[in-house]
Amino acid sequence: MKRVFRNQIPEDQILRCRWLLTWKPVEQPQHGDDHHKAKARLIVLESIPRDSPTMSKISRMLVLQLISSEGWDLMSFDVKAAFLQGTQSDRVLGLEPVPELSSAMKLKTNEICQLVKGAYGLVDAPYLWYQTLRGELISLGFQTSPFDPCVFVLYDDRKKPIGVIGVHVDDGLCGGTPEFHKKLQQLEKKYPFGSKKMGKFTFTGIDLQQNPDHSIALSQSKYVRNIKAIPITQQRKLEVNAPVTDEERQQLRGLIGSLQYASVHTRPDLSSRLSALQSKINSATVDVLMHANKALHEAKSHHDVTVVVQPIRAADLRFLAFTDASFASKKVPDSQSGNIIVATHKNIEQNISCPISPLAWGSKKIQKVVTSTLAAETMSLSSSLDMLSWIRLYWAWIYNPNDAWKHPTETLETLPNAVATATYEKSSIPSSLAATDCKSLYDLVTRTAPPNCQEFRTQLQTRAIKEQLAEGVNLRWVHSGAQLADALTKVMESHFLRETLRVGRYKLNDEAEVLRERACTKTRLKWLREGMLRMGVDDAGTNEAAEN
């Protein structure tokens, strides 16, 4: 900022400011030192809306998958005083200085400050910083992803990715080759980093840890354990049908919001229960408060659940989407759709136990009124295939930045070859799979004969699904006991999903050999253990295929 006379700037463009005083944890305190240090920021007060680009969840997971698949070291950094280094805004803004600033700049009574760059408190400061960072990264040779403006990939002369940075305001998540780290040093030289961390750190509230095999574990154990339950007296618990007070409703929103943050990033096992609670906030009773506390208790009981990104080679990587739906009932008036998309090894289609990396998941109400379970399952599958196509194209762009995303149909039909060519290998394995436990939907989509279905709108939608499947996706039928997305549509025991996340592997079964009886949790775990017992044999096959 610089000094100017007060009459040089219109009165309505002179902003107020104040100090923001905080205590910041010391990362590696020495023996006897305080674990916190004082930090002061001068905040500008204004209310002008501006974009604040941040990396999406899917982008973060694909960045982690790329780092793991390529065997790079995981790293994070943050830029010192990033908002003070943003490009200059087109606006001319004055600043009414605080006494300490007036004294430091020796301002006269008729002088104020003029902002010449971004500042803390300016709503457009994050955007101005993003524009500055983006320009610098492009000048260093990075390419901006067309799928997410906060993802930047560095390529070598052969257009092979050699590094990636995902940006969340002034924090960066990255990994790459030695050539990439040279570029990172150039960035740090111009915009000094406040901290750099390798292998194990917290990024946007998520604990990340890279293992020796380059797999990456995401956890929010500490975060979940620190969430407070809603206080309910014994007398209040007897009034189960009584409406909640405004204060209790606010506490309910806070609890659900806190759990939702964990559900979105690391805890898919909580998705369905939270979706059901969200729909009851406006008409909540004491009974809903107790169910919310029960959901928190479940989350804390399994606080150590982690999502692990596996080091699957890019040439061998395929995507598998699990999709499920629940039909409305008197007890649950809304139909629910759920899906979980994982990266896995190409040998999954050969009914071999393979590693899986959960990349995306979600549970939501189906917005349209559906007339049957089949209609609900059809809408859920169609929605999941859309998301699957997006992720496949995103991954294809990483390995083929010039043309892949501009010709989506051709790219999706030949995705394995496109990625394999970029990594200088050959492959002809189908690129992706989708799994449903709805046998009638599976028959409707896969059979050539005219379907025996009286729901004509559903027939039309299955026709659209066939066209989506023609873009390199194989549809498989799994028993409901082996359906990972089952826990995303029903408020139920999520033990099978949690155990699969813990094991980090999954195995498809031949449809003709799958058990037909109703599966219980014991049977589900039996299938999972059988897959694990074959890991030695199957892994040998996987490794042999990888070598060939």
Side-chain angles (χ1 to χ4, degrees):
M1 62 183 67
K2 65 179 183 180
R3 68 173 70 195
V4 294
F5 290 109
R6 184 179 295 273
N7 59 9
Q8 290 182 283
I9 298 179
E11 190 67 28
D12 60 352
Q13 291 180 233
I14 300 177
L15 307 176
R16 295 179 299 114
C17 64
R18 67 178 180 85
W19 289 107
L20 177 64
L21 307 177
T22 59
W23 290 98
K24 185 176 181 180
V26 177
E27 293 178 6
Q28 296 180 337
Q30 301 297 319
H31 181 69
D33 290 349
D34 196 339
H35 288 253
H36 294 81
K37 63 179 180 180
K39 185 174 183 179
R41 279 181 174 172
L42 189 64
I43 302 296
V44 181
L45 307 177
E46 68 151 358
S47 58
I48 299 174
R50 289 294 186 274
D51 292 336
S52 179
T54 55
M55 177 173 51
S56 70
K57 173 203 162 185
I58 291 179
S59 291
R60 186 191 66 238
M61 298 305 294
L62 288 179
V63 165
L64 293 175
Q65 183 64 67
L66 176 62
I67 292 171
S68 181
S69 294
E70 294 294 335
W72 298 332
D73 291 334
L74 178 66
M75 176 182 169
S76 75
F77 65 87
D78 69 82
V79 179
K80 284 184 179 179
F83 291 176
L84 305 182
Q85 305 183 65
T87 55
Q88 184 174 353
S89 172
D90 293 335
R91 296 173 293 145
V92 177
L93 294 177
L95 182 66
E96 195 71 63
V98 293
E100 296 85 351
L101 186 59
S102 295
S103 176
M105 296 183 67
K106 300 179 180 179
L107 299 178
K108 299 177 182 178
T109 55
N110 62 338
E111 290 180 328
I112 58 173
C113 299
Q114 179 185 337
L115 292 173
V116 295
K117 286 190 175 183
Y120 292 102
L122 289 176
V123 180
D124 62 349
Y127 177 76
L128 295 175
W129 160 244
Y130 166 78
Q131 291 289 77
T132 301
L133 177 63
R134 177 178 178 272
E136 185 63 26
L137 289 175
I138 290 175
S139 70
L140 290 173
F142 287 82
Q143 290 195 32
T144 309
S145 169
F147 296 86
D148 189 329
C150 293
V151 173
F152 303 87
V153 180
L154 183 67
Y155 296 91
D156 62 13
D157 294 338
R158 298 180 296 173
K159 288 299 179 184
K160 180 181 179 181
I162 58 173
V164 64
I165 296 178
V167 175
H168 185 95
V169 192
D170 57 349
D171 294 318
L173 185 68
C174 63
T177 65
E179 182 63 28
F180 163 80
H181 284 283
K182 290 180 182 178
K183 298 288 186 179
L184 199 64
Q185 288 174 2
Q186 291 179 253
L187 178 67
E188 183 179 11
K189 187 175 294 186
K190 187 164 185 178
Y191 300 106
F193 295 166
S195 65
K196 290 189 292 185
K197 302 175 185 177
M198 298 283 290
K200 184 178 181 181
F201 49 83
T202 300
F203 185 80
T204 64
I206 303 166
D207 296 326
L208 301 179
Q209 179 172 337
Q210 188 171 39
N211 301 314
D213 65 350
H214 288 102
S215 63
I216 301 170
L218 296 84
S219 171
Q220 289 178 289
S221 172
K222 183 177 179 180
Y223 169 80
V224 169
R225 284 181 283 129
N226 286 336
I227 300 175
K228 303 297 183 182
I230 301 172
I232 310 174
T233 64
Q234 289 298 324
Q235 178 60 36
R236 189 64 167 151
K237 289 180 180 179
L238 299 176
E239 305 167 349
V240 290
N241 295 320
V244 299
T245 64
D246 289 341
E247 182 181 355
E248 288 173 331
R249 196 186 314 277
Q250 189 65 26
Q251 292 173 328
L252 177 63
R253 290 184 190 276
L255 174 56
I256 293 175
S258 297
L259 285 175
Q260 187 67 20
Y261 185 74
S263 171
V264 166
H265 295 289
T266 60
R267 297 294 301 274
D269 56 308
L270 304 176
S271 299
S272 179
R273 193 178 297 275
L274 289 175
S275 181
L277 286 171
Q278 284 176 320
S279 64
K280 298 176 181 177
I281 290 178
N282 292 334
S283 58
T285 61
V286 174
D287 185 57
V288 175
L289 298 181
M290 292 191 290
H291 275 86
N293 280 345
K294 184 177 179 181
L296 176 61
H297 176 74
E298 179 184 351
K300 290 187 175 184
S301 297
H302 304 281
H303 65 87
D304 55 349
V305 170
T306 59
V307 170
V308 180
V309 177
Q310 304 283 358
I312 307 165
R313 289 196 316 164
D316 297 329
L317 188 142
R318 303 294 182 264
F319 297 103
L320 169 59
F322 294 91
T323 174
D324 191 39
S326 62
F327 187 50
S329 64
K330 289 184 178 180
K331 186 176 181 180
V332 183
D334 299 306
S335 298
Q336 195 81 2
S337 170
N339 68 69
I340 179 169
I341 298 176
V342 303
T344 186
H345 192 277
K346 64 184 180 183
N347 285 350
I348 191 88
E349 193 166 11
Q350 309 305 318
N351 302 331
I352 294 174
S353 174
C354 292
I356 58 170
S357 301
L359 300 178
W361 55 84
S363 176
K364 62 180 180 180
K365 290 192 297 184
I366 296 177
Q367 297 303 316
K368 296 182 180 179
V369 176
V370 291
T371 57
S372 67
T373 300
L374 175 60
E377 294 277 6
T378 302
M379 292 194 67
S380 181
L381 176 58
S382 179
S383 175
S384 297
L385 288 174
D386 279 341
M387 181 181 292
L388 179 62
S389 295
W390 171 266
I391 291 176
R392 293 171 64 205
L393 281 173
Y394 200 151
W395 187 253
W397 172 83
I398 291 174
Y399 284 93
N400 185 10
N402 293 330
D403 301 313
W405 66 280
K406 299 177 183 177
H407 309 285
T409 301
E410 294 85 347
T411 298
L412 290 172
E413 289 176 350
T414 60
L415 179 60
N417 289 324
V419 174
T421 300
T423 53
Y424 316 106
E425 300 179 36
K426 297 295 181 182
S427 173
S428 59
I429 306 295
S431 61
S432 298
L433 300 99
T436 178
D437 62 356
C438 181
K439 193 65 165 63
S440 56
L441 174 59
Y442 176 78
D443 292 339
L444 198 60
V445 172
T446 58
R447 289 181 179 176
T448 305
N452 181 21
C453 175
Q454 301 303 313
E455 299 179 35
F456 298 105
R457 286 185 178 273
T458 300
Q459 287 192 44
L460 291 174
Q461 195 158 12
T462 56
R463 178 61 188 174
I465 287 175
K466 286 185 178 182
E467 294 181 359
Q468 290 174 295
L469 294 175
E471 296 176 340
V473 181
N474 282 357
L475 183 63
R476 296 290 297 266
W477 176 74
V478 297
H479 196 285
S480 59
Q483 172 60 273
L484 283 185
D486 203 30
L488 299 174
T489 60
K490 306 170 187 69
V491 179
M492 54 179 289
E493 173 58 54
S494 302
H495 191 70
F496 180 67
L497 174 58
R498 294 192 190 107
E499 187 66 9
T500 304
L501 293 176
R502 186 189 68 80
V503 172
R505 303 183 72 87
Y506 187 84
K507 177 185 176 182
L508 290 170
N509 290 275
D510 191 322
E511 285 85 349
E513 298 179 2
V514 174
L515 296 175
R516 302 295 179 173
E517 69 267 19
R518 184 180 181 86
C520 61
T521 299
K522 183 178 179 180
T523 307
R524 293 175 168 193
L525 297 179
K526 176 184 175 183
W527 290 339
L528 187 62
R529 284 193 295 270
E530 286 175 349
M532 291 297 295
L533 289 174
R534 288 187 54 83
M535 278 177 55
V537 177
D538 294 342
D539 284 346
T542 299
N543 294 333
E544 181 180 352
E547 293 172 359
N548 293 334

